[in-house]
Amino acid sequence: MGYLRLAARLILFLLFLVFTAGVAVTVSLAEWIKRRPIDRTPYARFCFHGAVRSLGIQVQQQGQAARGPVLFISNHISWSDIPVLGGTAPLRFLSKAEVGQWPVIGWLAHQAGTLFIQRRSGKSARSREEIANTLRQGQSVLVFPEGTTTAGLTVLPFHQRLLWAAADAGVNIQPISIGYLRDGQPDHLAPFIGDDDFQSHLTRLLKKPAVKVGVIYHAPVAVSAQTDMDALCRQLHQTVTAGLRRIHQADGAHGESASSPITAN
């Protein structure tokens, strides 16, 4: 049964990748004809949502994304966080540069307007400036302030250096909690950690029954140049951690506000 499920989902996923590539090429052609850039976030949101559906991921959302631009922050568990969260709001991602080299996925990430960061290269100031400029242009950006993925049971301390981009651009920060559940328990297959590779992880995930993903949009938080960022990071960390606990609890995972799957607008 696992291999039949894998084959069906892979076929659907590959077909949707072809469709997504067609959307990306069409938008690129439109930009070339009009001689000006097009906001790709609505198209990316539609494609992310479709990718999640084709992979058999069931998303349960609480709360709503603020009307942008805002700097979203979230805990980070897997590569699948990107299509899951990208399907809930129009936004651009900050991702490690390695993702840009992945076959097909990397190209699509570039087409979706992903901002790539070189890790351990001392370029955080440049990334902060790029995020702030994107926010000033009216587009929301999502960053993962833990700096790495986790097993999804806890939330690592937040790094503050990129959060200053919100103060630079004069926008709010909206924290998000994301958690994966299987049979009512934290899922041990979804985390993308260690030396795992994308193809093997995708295969293992698709062979199993659908994973449920809880997403909680918390209230936005104001930030300015005078903000005590150390205190704010602690506050944001507490908020995201509390949200993850709610997702792991039965009432948080199956409550009234979380029972409706996301829809693409």
Side-chain angles (χ1 to χ4, degrees):
M1 182 63 183
Y3 286 101
L4 290 176
R5 184 184 295 114
L6 172 64
R9 287 180 177 167
L10 275 180
I11 291 173
L12 187 60
F13 182 56
L14 291 174
L15 288 174
F16 192 81
L17 283 182
V18 172
F19 171 78
T20 300
V23 172
V25 171
T26 301
V27 173
S28 295
L29 285 174
E31 287 181 331
W32 181 77
I33 293 172
K34 294 183 176 181
R35 296 292 193 273
R36 61 179 177 83
I38 295 175
D39 181 6
R40 299 187 175 207
T41 54
Y43 304 100
R45 181 183 182 184
F46 171 79
C47 292
F48 281 135
H49 178 79
V52 167
R53 295 290 297 271
S54 66
L55 291 172
I57 298 174
Q58 299 178 2
V59 180
Q60 298 175 315
Q61 178 181 333
Q62 298 182 57
Q64 296 294 325
R67 295 188 179 276
V70 296
L71 180 64
F72 295 111
I73 66 164
S74 173
N75 58 310
H76 196 15
I77 298 173
S78 178
W79 58 267
S80 53
D81 298 347
I82 292 177
V84 167
L85 296 176
T88 64
L91 52 83
R92 295 177 65 179
F93 289 93
L94 182 72
S95 178
K96 60 183 181 180
E98 294 91 321
V99 173
Q101 306 303 316
W102 289 1
V104 183
I105 299 297
W107 180 79
L108 290 174
H110 281 284
Q111 296 302 308
T114 301
L115 309 174
F116 294 100
I117 183 173
Q118 296 282 347
R119 297 186 298 178
R120 299 184 299 274
S121 59
K123 295 184 178 180
S124 60
R126 179 178 177 182
S127 297
R128 168 179 166 178
E129 181 180 358
E130 189 172 3
I131 294 170
N133 287 336
T134 302
L135 293 168
R136 292 188 190 102
Q137 293 167 11
Q139 296 180 327
S140 296
V141 179
L142 186 143
V143 302
F144 299 110
E146 293 170 290
T148 186
T149 53
T150 72
L153 302 176
T154 58
V155 181
L156 296 177
F158 287 169
H159 300 287
Q160 64 173 260
R161 58 184 181 275
L162 296 179
L163 304 190
W164 279 109
D168 297 339
V171 303
N172 293 338
I173 295 177
Q174 184 168 19
I176 305 170
S177 299
I178 184 170
Y180 293 75
L181 294 169
R182 194 179 298 275
D183 299 325
Q185 300 295 323
D187 182 39
H188 68 280
L189 292 176
F192 186 64
I193 53 180
D195 296 326
D196 207 352
D197 64 273
F198 173 73
Q199 292 86 349
S200 299
H201 186 266
L202 177 64
T203 299
R204 291 195 304 272
L205 201 61
L206 296 186
K207 286 172 63 177
K208 296 296 183 180
V211 62
K212 294 182 179 179
V213 186
V215 175
I216 300 177
Y217 277 89
H218 304 282
V221 178
V223 59
S224 70
Q226 289 72 44
T227 297
D228 183 341
M229 194 58 74
D230 287 331
L232 179 61
C233 275
R234 290 192 295 270
Q235 174 189 339
L236 294 170
H237 183 272
Q238 292 171 359
T239 298
V240 173
T241 300
L244 181 62
R245 293 196 188 104
R246 285 171 55 191
I247 292 171
H248 287 167
Q249 294 170 354
D251 58 343
H254 303 103
E256 180 180 352
S257 61
S259 59
S260 299
I262 60 171
T263 57
N265 294 325

